[in-house]
Every structure is written in structure tokens, then in C-alpha cells.
DNA sequence: GAGTGGTCTAGACCACTAA
DNA sequence: TAGTGGTCTAGACCACTCC
């Protein structure tokens, strides 16, 4: 026999799944749930806490507050399209236009810092573990809400040869083209993708409700001679999707007539 | 001023981060934490519940139980290598040998069912929404623990032409080769990747502790004529990583000397 | 038997915000 | 002002499992 709070959570989850409670709807208040299920307030709170942790609902305090079924929009980031020379735009513009294509408003904020390179990133860049790097951070906003944060690490020796990398502003033509024009053309990328719960810093920056994972996307870029940069992107897991196209992409275009909902 | 339980959680999290508490270590017991911080048991439990939800610790009841710092091993699944004709093995063998290369023991279980095709998958396959599909399920185990579950959906009309797809057993040469040998060579794949909290069914199947997301990996396979299958893989988010290689992979091989820890 | 975490109650005070 | 969720206390009984 499952515990009471579990049964209450199951019941509410089922109501959401069946559409009896829909995105944006308010659940019964805590006193109402106490009465409906004949339990104490703490038990009700154990149930709703579970739904919050699953990312299904969100609780908002105050007179007009309550517990609400969360809604979600999902953006698709086409990782296999980004940053290849065939692209007509800089990578940031590619992102911007991709968001616009999906019917939303895009903006981004840059900054630059110099930092000691974390060991696992130094390894990817093939440089010494105690070396430093220029970190270009790009926080991307969709409809005014932070959606992802990307930190791109460039080894310092490279920055000394391509000093524009140390500009605290966006590089108009894009850093990929900038590097290519200086003889550092990236010919291969290695991407790694993980899912985990956010750090408190990520949760704050991306305004993630409890129970929302981040999709972590790590791209290492290589010229024929060396690794030139590694970028670490944290996507808000409830609002983003990554996409890759492998093989003959013309085939896929022929069959695409969708922009479907997440699974 | 953050609430008390928040400060306790922050304190414990920081001890874990600094290495004062390491993977496998036991946290102080609830009565000990009550005394240390001078709070009630419920407050202690609010703090530890938060760490559990972040996936940092795991609580085990019983006389020899306690709250333990979780350890994690991370496997890498090379999505861009899998299932291309250059591969010497069937995809399941490729997975098996990849796990073995990473120093672990691999096993898997198959079953087959016939199911109505969920709308979002019918769309990917370009078939009618009320049609059925053969679903081949493969649960993959690493060191005896379920690590991922993959459901591959084949439209029924295809199964009628390639009846081996309806076998409830593993297909020895792999379904990709089987299909290719019958004139359905997959020439392109479209991959989608999402992160979300598990459904209760996934949490049970993958034995996921609270606070562990799943990494969802959806691959649609295309021949020159049509989409022939879509597979949906749920990876336990705390134990898996996806990898893609884009561009000239020989370049990357030249620089690879790692099998590093997750970020 | 004794100590662990799991569940549950009853009641209190708080901050916030629309009415 | 009244109602929402957020925090916190004190105490109870339970199941489980090593000693």
C-alpha cells in the first residue's frame, strides 16, 4: 500500500495527464486538498512537493497564488547545423533566426572574463591543467526569459594571436569566422551531451523551478592542428531540445512537415 | 536571509563539493543533524530532501542505513558512430563492446509488443495517427543495473514486408542490417535530445533515485523513400552521456587521450 | 533490542499580494 | 483584510535491518 501522500500525488498527476487539469490551471488550495483527502497539511505538502520536483506544477505564494500546472514551450537547437561554413550567418545570428523561425523573440547578453581553466576542460583543449583561458559568456533569452547560458573557453595563447577574442563585446562576424580568417578553421567538432540537476547558480540564472533538469551540451572545436575552444552550454531542460541530422540531410528535408511537441 | 533548512542544505552541499564528504560517505544521522543545527526533525528532513532532489545524496532506511553521498559512473554512448554501414557490428553489439571498452559488464533484454502509435511518433514516421506499430524494446544493463531503455517503433506495413521484425528475440545481425538487406537502407538519421524528469514508470524501470533526470534520445531513420523507424531511448541521466563527432573525425582521434569525468 | 529513515498529525507564525 | 503558500516545532507510530 503506497503512503497517503503518494496516492494524492498519483491522483493529481493522473488528473493532469488526462487533461482534467490543464496547463495554467490552478490545483485546489492546500486547505481544500486537506479536506478532500482527509489528511493533515504536511501530508498535502508532501504530495505537492513531489509534483513540484517532477516539474509538473509550480507553486506561487500570495493572495492570488496557488499551485499551477506548468506550461512549456520547447525550442529546438540544431547542433549539427550550427557553425559550419555553409551557414550564411554567425552562430549567434543563426540562433537568433532559428528562434524567430519558431515564433519567439530572441535576445542575448555577452560578457568576458579570464579564468583558470577547470581540469576537465583543460583536458579537452589539450593544454596544461593550471593554465588560464578567456571565457566568453553568452546568456540567451527567449521572450525575455533566460533560456540557456553558454561559456566558451579559448586558451590564452590563442587569444594572444587573435586579440579580438578578448573583446568584451559580441564579435560581429562570429568567432568561428573570425578564427577561420586567422588560419584557425575548425574542421571537426566533438559534442558531448549530459542531463543533470542544475547547480544553484544555474537554477538562479535560468530561473529554473525545482524539478527542472539542465541539458548540458559541451562542444570542442578542432582545427587540423589542435583544439581551439570548448563551449559549455546549459539549456533549461524544460524549454529546449537539441537536434542532429546525420547522413543525407536532403532526404530528411523531403519528409519534414512538422514542428511537433516534445515527447 | 535564507530559511534554516536552506542553510543546512547549503552547508552539506558545500561539504560534499569540498570533498569533506565523499562518494559513499554517510552524512550525520537525522538526530545528529538536529543537534548540530539546533532545529526540529522536520527541518532537517526539508534540508536532506532538497539534496536528494538534486541527486547529490541518497537515503537508505534501516539499522545500517543513513544518508549517503551518491557515486556515479558515466558511460558514453557515441550516437554518431552507431548504426552506420562502416560499423563492423550490429548496433546492439556495438553498444556492448563500447561498454566493455569503458570497463563494465553489459547485458540486455528484449521484448516485442504491438501498440497503437503515439501521435508524436506517427508524425515522425509520416504515417496516420491511428495506425499501429511493432515496438521492439531493449533494456540495457551495466554491471547488472538498468542503464537505459530503448523502444524502437516500426510501422506495421514495413513489418509485413520484413517479418523478422516481429520476432520476439534479438535479431542476430541487427535490425539495421536486416532492413538494409531487404532494400530499406537507412541513409539519414534525425536525432532529437531532451532532458526531463522521469515518469514513474521510467523511475521504476531504471531504478532512478528521486532527483535524477532522464536524457531522452529520439532517432528517426530514413531511407531514400521514407521514414522506416523511430527509436526512443531513455537514459538514466546520472549514468550516461551522449557523444557526437561532426566533421573530420580523424582529426579528433589524433588528439584524443582521454576518458574524462563528466562536467 | 536499538537505531535508522519514512510517514503523519496538530498547531503556530511568517511574507506576500489581490480584494 | 483575508487567503495563499513558506517555514518550523513537537511529538507520534511505522518498517526495516543489523547487532
Amino acid at each position: 500500500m503506497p503512503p497517503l501522500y503518494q496516492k494524492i500525488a498519483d491522483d493529481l498527476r493522473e488528473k493532469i495527464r488526462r487533461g482534467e487539469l490543464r496547463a495554467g490551471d490552478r490545483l485546489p488550495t492546500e486547505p481544500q486538498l486537506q479536506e478532500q483527502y482527509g489528511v493533515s497539511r504536511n501530508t498535502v505538502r508532501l504530495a505537492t512537493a513531489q509534483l513540484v520536483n517532477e516539474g509538473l506544477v509550480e507553486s506561487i505564494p500570495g493572495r492570488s497564488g496557488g499551485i499551477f500546472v506548468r506550461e512549456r514551450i520547447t525550442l529546438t537547437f540544431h547542433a549539427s547545423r550550427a557553425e559550419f561554413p555553409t551557414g550564411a550567418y554567425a552562430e549567434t545570428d543563426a540562433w537568433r533566426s532559428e528562434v524567430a523561425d519558431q515564433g519567439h523573440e530572441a535576445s542575448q547578453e555577452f560578457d568576458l572574463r579570464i579564468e583558470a581553466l577547470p581540469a576537465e576542460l583543460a583536458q579537452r583543449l589539450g593544454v596544461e591543467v593550471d593554465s588560464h583561458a578567456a571565457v566568453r559568456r553568452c546568456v540567451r533569452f527567449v521572450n525575455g526569459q533566460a533560456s540557456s547560458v553558454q561559456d566558451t573557453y579559448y586558451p590564452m595563447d590563442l587569444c594572444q594571436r587573435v586579440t579580438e577574442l578578448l573583446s568584451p563585446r559580441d564579435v560581429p562576424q562570429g568567432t568561428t569566422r573570425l578564427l577561420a580568417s586567422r588560419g584557425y578553421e575548425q574542421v571537426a567538432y566533438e559534442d558531448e551531451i549530459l542531463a543533470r540537476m542544475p547547480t544553484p547558480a544555474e537554477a538562479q540564472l535560468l530561473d529554473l523551478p525545482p524539478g527542472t533538469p539542465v541539458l548540458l551540451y559541451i562542444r570542442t572545436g578542432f582545427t587540423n592542428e589542435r583544439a581551439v575552444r570548448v563551449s559549455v552550454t546549459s539549456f533549461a531542460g524544460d524549454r529546449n531540445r537539441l537536434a542532429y541530422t546525420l547522413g543525407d540531410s536532403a532526404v530528411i528535408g523531403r519528409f519534414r512537415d512538422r514542428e511537433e511537441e516534445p515527447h
Side-chain angles (χ1 to χ4, degrees), chain A:
Chain A
M1 196 60 170
L4 285 178
Y5 79 89
Q6 192 59 255
K7 291 174 66 171
I8 298 173
D10 290 347
D11 190 41
L12 292 171
R13 195 187 296 107
E14 188 56 20
K15 284 192 165 118
I16 293 168
R17 199 196 59 79
R18 282 204 311 266
E20 197 169 322
L21 289 165
R22 288 187 294 188
D25 284 357
R26 200 181 76 166
L27 268 58
T29 65
E30 290 184 351
Q32 285 169 344
L33 290 171
Q34 281 183 64
E35 233 230 300
Q36 277 181 36
Y37 294 100
V39 295
S40 75
R41 188 170 170 220
N42 265 355
T43 303
V44 165
R45 284 182 65 79
L46 283 175
T48 55
Q50 189 175 68
L51 298 180
V52 168
N53 284 329
E54 291 171 7
L56 275 182
V57 304
E58 173 175 27
S59 76
I60 296 173
R63 176 73 170 80
S64 66
I67 299 174
F68 296 88
V69 180
R70 280 173 52 186
E71 20 201 339
R72 32 188 79 198
I73 57 166
T74 303
L75 282 168
T76 302
F77 180 81
H78 289 275
S80 49
R81 280 189 215 159
E83 302 178 59
F84 268 100
T86 51
Y89 303 102
E91 60 266 36
T92 59
D93 292 330
W95 174 78
R96 206 188 278 267
S97 63
E98 187 157 13
V99 172
D101 285 351
Q102 294 171 48
H104 303 282
E105 189 258 327
S107 63
Q108 44 197 354
E109 287 175 8
F110 281 89
D111 67 77
L112 173 90
R113 23 183 232 286
I114 310 288
E115 267 186 17
L117 204 46
E120 69 271 22
L121 298 185
Q123 201 170 27
R124 285 177 179 78
L125 286 172
V127 300
E128 279 151 29
V129 291
D130 54 352
S131 63
H132 285 65
V135 187
R136 300 182 64 84
R137 166 165 289 199
C138 176
V139 183
R140 289 170 170 160
F141 299 84
V142 175
N143 299 336
Q145 186 179 29
S147 175
S148 67
V149 52
Q150 176 167 44
D151 284 329
T152 306
Y153 296 76
Y154 299 92
M156 282 312 289
D157 73 289
L158 187 72
C159 297
Q160 279 150 15
R161 295 202 195 81
V162 187
T163 52
E164 291 91 335
L165 288 175
L166 296 173
S167 153
R169 297 274 307 133
D170 189 5
V171 175
Q173 77 269 40
T175 51
T176 305
R177 297 198 154 182
L178 168 64
L179 283 170
S181 74
R182 300 301 174 81
Y184 298 98
E185 190 194 349
Q186 293 170 66
V187 297
Y189 299 105
E190 182 165 58
D191 289 0
E192 298 159 79
I193 301 151
L194 301 93
R196 59 160 169 71
M197 296 311 282
T199 64
E202 286 169 331
Q204 202 213 342
L205 188 61
L206 296 174
D207 193 25
L208 296 175
T212 309
V214 291
L215 187 61
L216 208 65
Y217 162 65
I218 303 171
R219 166 164 287 192
T220 310
F222 296 87
T223 67
N224 275 308
E225 278 74 36
R226 62 178 289 187
V228 288
R229 57 101 177 181
V230 58
S231 64
V232 179
T233 308
S234 297
F235 289 100
D238 57 345
R239 314 194 274 274
N240 289 282
R241 156 181 19 203
L242 280 175
Y244 285 84
T245 301
L246 306 179
D248 184 352
S249 60
V251 172
I252 293 174
R254 223 182 295 153
F255 301 111
R256 195 198 310 276
D257 60 340
R258 35 194 166 116
E259 272 311 320
E260 71 293 309
E261 283 306 291
H263 187 71

